Amino acid sequence: MAARPVIIDTDPGQDDAFAILLALASPELEVLGLTTVAGNMGLAQTTDNARRIVELAGRGAVPVHAGSARPLLRAPRPVPEIHGKMGIDGWDWAPAERGAEPMHAVDYLVTTLNAHPEKVTLIVLGPQTNIALALRRAPEIAERIERIVFMGGGFFEGGNMSPAAEYNILVDPEAARIVLNAGIPVTAVPLDCTHATPAPVNWSATLAAHGSEVMRACAGMMEFFERYGNAKYGTASRPLHDAVAVAALLWPELFTGRQCTVDVECAGELTTGMTVVDWLRQTGKPDNCLWLNGCTDPGEVYRRMEAALSRLG
Ligand code: BDR
Ligand code: CA
């Protein structure tokens, strides 16, 4: 089967790094390019991180386009307390050999989606600012998008940045609302799904045992990522949220979910950024989202991820 063309919109982040590496390692996906956004870190840093990640994978020819430096209406909310000073801490990264492409991410999205002979799948791993701007600038691209798979939101699990809101949606709720209401097939990979997909305990040791540079980098990032999360949540291991989104695209048979109506709260005093899921069909509105809420075999997800990552470098 021909590889599925994808563009990855991202704000690396250790879990974004795993997601990008998994996508690059998967022959089922053809990564056309990466677009970056302010999220976990400021835009200059997420863009530099994206370059370092594609080069670590030996895929330096994959273009990286820098996008929005701030959410549509709100102030940026970098989280160095979660991801470290650089955002992909845990590995001694070589400086990127090449910079980002001159074209802005939003222009790149519009141009590529309109020009590509096939519809393209968007994998969205950060605040959804770039995608919302592209849809506002050129609404016709909605027809050119095969599906949007995004990591974000939480309904049954609540939030991880406020009681109601998950980070990617809280940072730019207006953007997420535009994306969810654009009439594009959407798969949401929320905390309901990622929390059901924790990495194996001490997975970093398993990764390090492979010995390659990519696997040692992954091991270092995993260790760093787990340290904060396990302390905060009192868990023995953490889910690699964004990598679970790529896993759900690659291996849908390992995940559960339901088609339903989802919207985003943008004005609530206590609930801004909440993804409101009509799980029991109260509204009668048409479905706009496949909302994933579980994983049938987390061990298998990470076994497959490990096998894919070990092919890189
Ligand atoms: C999401 O927030 C970011 O910190 C991670 O990279 C992920 O995309 C998880 O809530
Ligand atoms: Ca992310």
Side-chain angles (χ1 to χ4, degrees):
M1 220 175 76
R4 177 197 280 260
V6 300
I7 295 172
I8 304 175
D9 187 71
T10 179
D11 64 334
Q14 288 89 355
D15 57 333
D16 300 74
F18 273 86
I20 294 163
L21 294 170
L22 174 59
L24 291 171
S26 301
E28 302 91 328
L29 305 179
E30 181 197 1
V31 180
L32 302 178
L34 268 53
T35 52
T36 56
V37 67
N40 290 322
M41 295 283 130
L43 180 67
Q45 185 71 60
T46 59
T47 305
D48 185 43
N49 291 352
R51 279 302 321 163
R52 291 180 197 230
I53 294 162
V54 294
E55 290 177 19
L56 173 74
R59 300 286 296 282
V62 173
V64 172
H65 293 263
S68 310
R70 58 187 55 81
L72 294 183
L73 304 178
R74 297 166 193 259
R77 291 178 74 140
V79 280
E81 68 276 19
I82 300 175
H83 296 279
K85 256 196 339 280
M86 189 182 174
I88 46 174
D89 291 37
W91 176 243
D92 188 11
W93 289 88
E97 284 173 11
R98 189 170 131 183
E101 309 302 311
M103 187 185 277
H104 191 280
V106 172
D107 296 322
Y108 169 76
L109 283 163
V110 172
T111 312
T112 309
L113 291 167
N114 277 327
H116 202 274
E118 292 162 71
K119 290 189 179 188
V120 174
T121 296
L122 302 183
I123 301 173
V124 182
L125 308 175
Q128 300 180 10
T129 322
N130 289 333
I131 314 304
L133 285 170
L135 284 164
R136 279 292 198 253
R137 162 105 49 98
E140 78 280 1
I141 62 169
E143 295 293 316
R144 306 295 312 145
I145 299 171
E146 176 71 25
R147 175 168 288 275
I148 291 176
V149 179
F150 75 77
M151 191 282 135
F155 187 63
F156 301 103
E157 287 285 298
N160 61 0
M161 287 298 286
S162 81
E166 179 279 333
Y167 177 80
N168 289 336
I169 309 296
L170 181 67
V171 171
D172 201 341
E174 287 79 14
R177 182 167 237 198
I178 289 170
V179 170
L180 274 161
N181 288 293
I184 300 164
V186 170
T187 302
V189 184
L191 297 176
D192 306 340
C193 175
T194 66
H195 285 178
T197 319
V201 175
N202 287 330
W203 199 47
S204 52
T206 310
L207 298 176
H210 285 263
S212 72
E213 192 189 14
V214 175
M215 294 305 257
R216 285 182 292 122
C218 286
M221 285 191 288
M222 186 70 207
E223 223 183 313
F224 188 97
F225 189 66
E226 281 193 327
R227 210 174 306 138
Y228 171 87
N230 286 342
K232 177 171 174 186
Y233 297 106
T235 49
S237 81
R238 297 303 303 154
L240 283 162
H241 304 283
D242 293 333
V244 174
V246 175
L249 176 63
L250 288 167
W251 312 307
E253 70 281 6
L254 297 178
F255 295 89
T256 58
R258 182 186 286 187
Q259 287 285 349
C260 48
T261 298
V262 180
D263 210 334
V264 178
E265 175 60 82
C266 295
E269 188 190 343
L270 302 174
T271 54
T272 295
M274 180 181 183
T275 39
V276 180
V277 179
D278 188 6
W279 191 255
L280 296 179
R281 298 185 175 282
Q282 306 302 303
T283 62
K285 289 187 185 162
D287 299 338
N288 64 348
C289 183
L290 172 61
W291 186 265
L292 299 187
N293 70 335
C295 174
T296 53
D297 192 346
E300 180 62 12
V301 169
Y302 289 92
R303 269 191 298 280
R304 292 187 193 183
M305 207 184 292
E306 179 187 338
L309 296 173
S310 72
R311 292 195 289 267
L312 284 171

